[in-house]
Amino acid sequence: MVATVTHVEVREYMNNVYENVKKRDPHETEFLQAVQMLFEALVPVFSENPSYMESGLLERFVEPERLITFQVPWIDDEGIVQVNRGFRVQFNGAIGPYKGGIRFHPSVNASIIKFLGFQQTIKNALTGQAMGGGKGGADFDPKGKSDLEIMRFCQSYMTELSKYIGPNLDVPAGDIGVGPREIGYMFGQYKRLRGQFEAGVFTGKPIDFGGSIGRTEATGYGAIYFVEQLLQDRGESLKGSKVIISGSGNVSIYAMEKAIKLGARIVACSDSSGYVYDENGLSLKSIKQIKLAESGRIKEYVKTHPEAKFNKNSAGIWSVPCELAIPCATQNEMDAASARRLVKNGVKVIAEGANMPCTPEAIKIFHDNDVLFGPAQAVNAGGVAVSYLEMAQNSARVAWSFERVDEELQKIMETIYRNCMNASEQYGEPGNFVLGASIVGFERIAKAMLMQGVI
Ligand code: NDP
């Protein structure tokens, strides 16, 4: 057996695996994009470990262990029966129970759920905790629905999903369109169906029945802890920097909160109908009031802040000059043209708060122009890491303080940063966090898969 194989040979092998994935599901563009991005980053590690190629590891890794698709019927306020499509992917359970959020959004389909579950698997491994990867959702649009409609939908979704989840099997959480309210309704239905209070079956629960303090803030805060570590390592900090954060949902708002606490100025944020901009810094209090309390639109910001400007092209946010850009809205929200504009305007750091918000072309532009780039699997791992702490608290029947959760989160984000940095150095591309995150996450799973055998 040869000790190493060339990058060319590895690429040829990976290309074959990729072509088979593509042949099976040619229309799953987001999933194929995620597979291609991971393969590219894993070339050096496969080159040094030819046994990975011989064991069919990659072929197994790209095929979800289970993909569940189901009908979600529900009755709207007019008494009309509506039908949506529900999903749960249990991607890889080599290192622990499947874990990953549930997304309610009209764009949800098998491709979106599979790309999210695939990347979640790497992310969960990167945290160092014992979690496999999963993801779920439905093509249901919560916008404009009454509270009762949301409740009926959540109950119907859980009536089916409850057959496939459990505290030691698969533990969902929230994502786009799913917050503590939806989790409360789903948890309530699960409890009724099981006849037991199994707190550990869900994370992101309201604090009143088993949720962890600090989970709401965790993804956004964690993203900023990662960025601060990255800057500190280079003798810099967020203090006084100009930052753009897209979106104005859970991840975005708490990323803004922590960045402001560390002295940054947030000059722009957005929602799906446009972005607001103020060179002197946006008021987070007003944004929270609009988006959290009233579920309003971001354009309302200019009503109380006439000094700010509203632009109805959401993607235009990337033309605002800044030093740091943190996309926290959705997949592929930042393309090559946006990346070029950011580079031209002198951006220094891009950190992905959302999942796969930057296209591969955009990432290449950042790498080619020495812009520091933090990929989602590392940057937004704080959410799932605190979910794991929620599971730990539920098992021990204890509730930690905010300070303790936050301290753990900081430690986890620093470790993730350090591990990615070390791996990028070890494989000859210091500062390439896409490479670092992919290698650290994949190697942990690969070792577990090899030790557990096939069949
Ligand atoms: P939310 O639903 O709370 O917020 C999403 C925000 O993005 C909303 O403000 C939404 O606006 C906005 N948005 C959606 N599409 C666009 C667009 N094309 N352009 C601009 N803004 C847009 O979701 P989360 O904050 O929970 O999730 C955001 C991202 O972070 C997702 O990729 C998610 O998978 C990822 N993530 C979330 C975690 C969590 O703990 N919540 C953990 C790890 C990753 P509108 O109101 O108009 O729809």
Side-chain angles (χ1 to χ4, degrees), residues 194-250:
R194 287 293 157 105
Q196 287 185 43
F197 194 99
E198 293 176 5
V201 73
F202 243 106
T203 61
K205 299 180 292 295
I207 290 161
D208 297 316
F209 52 90
S212 174
I213 286 185
R215 174 61 186 88
T216 307
E217 295 85 351
T219 310
Y221 278 23
I224 299 301
Y225 292 145
F226 184 96
V227 169
E228 188 68 349
Q229 193 62 45
L230 182 89
L231 292 172
Q232 262 176 28
D233 242 18
R234 288 150 185 85
E236 295 172 32
S237 86
L238 271 162
K239 205 167 173 39
S241 58
K242 222 182 338 175
V243 180
I244 295 177
I245 298 190
S246 66
S248 44
N250 171 268

Side-chain angles (χ1 to χ4, degrees), residues 103 143 175 215 219 248-251 271-272 297 329 354-355 380:
R103 175 179 293 192
K143 280 203 191 92
D175 192 76
R215 174 61 186 88
T219 310
S248 44
N250 171 268
V251 180
D271 64 18
S272 59
R297 310 307 300 153
N355 284 315
N380 72 26

Side-chain angles (χ1 to χ4, degrees), residues 127-184:
T127 65
Q129 297 159 325
M131 294 180 284
K135 198 82 190 188
D139 60 356
F140 169 76
D141 188 357
K143 280 203 191 92
K145 301 291 188 298
S146 71
D147 193 45
L148 277 176
E149 287 176 325
I150 300 274
M151 185 181 79
R152 288 193 289 268
F153 180 81
C154 289
Q155 289 174 339
S156 180
Y157 180 84
M158 184 47 72
T159 299
E160 185 61 22
L161 188 71
S162 64
K163 298 169 190 165
Y164 308 101
I165 60 173
N168 295 314
L169 170 61
D170 184 355
V171 183
D175 192 76
I176 292 178
V178 177
R181 174 181 62 164
E182 291 74 20
I183 291 174

Side-chain angles (χ1 to χ4, degrees), residues 103-105 115-116 120 123 135 143 173-178 215-216 218-220 246-253 270-274 291-292 295-298 314-315 317 327-331 333 352-357 376 380-384 387:
R103 175 179 293 192
F104 291 162
H105 193 272
F115 110 69
L116 288 165
Q120 187 83 41
K123 181 187 313 182
K135 198 82 190 188
K143 280 203 191 92
D175 192 76
I176 292 178
V178 177
R215 174 61 186 88
T216 307
T219 310
S246 66
S248 44
N250 171 268
V251 180
S252 181
I253 280 181
S270 59
D271 64 18
S272 59
S273 46
K291 299 302 289 192
L292 292 183
S295 304
R297 310 307 300 153
I298 201 68
S314 303
I317 192 170
C328 292
T330 195
Q331 62 274 354
E333 57 171 305
E352 294 188 316
N355 284 315
M356 207 168 76
N380 72 26
V384 76
S387 274

Side-chain angles (χ1 to χ4, degrees), residues 14 17-18 21-22 25 27-42 58 61-63 91 110-123 331-332 352 355-361 363 375-377 434-435 437-439 442:
M14 286 182 168
V17 179
Y18 175 79
V21 177
K22 198 171 166 187
D25 297 300
H27 307 300
E28 294 186 349
T29 50
E30 293 84 2
F31 177 58
L32 292 169
Q33 178 182 335
V35 169
Q36 218 161 17
M37 281 161 71
L38 183 79
F39 281 11
E40 187 51 38
L42 293 180
L58 214 49
F61 192 67
V62 292
E63 183 63 19
F91 221 102
S111 173
I112 301 269
I113 294 301
K114 279 173 68 181
F115 110 69
L116 288 165
F118 185 68
Q119 293 201 333
Q120 187 83 41
T121 306
I122 296 285
K123 181 187 313 182
Q331 62 274 354
N332 292 328
E352 294 188 316
N355 284 315
M356 207 168 76
C358 300
T359 64
E361 297 77 26
I363 297 172
Q377 293 95 312
V434 177
L435 188 111
S438 306
I439 289 178
F442 181 79

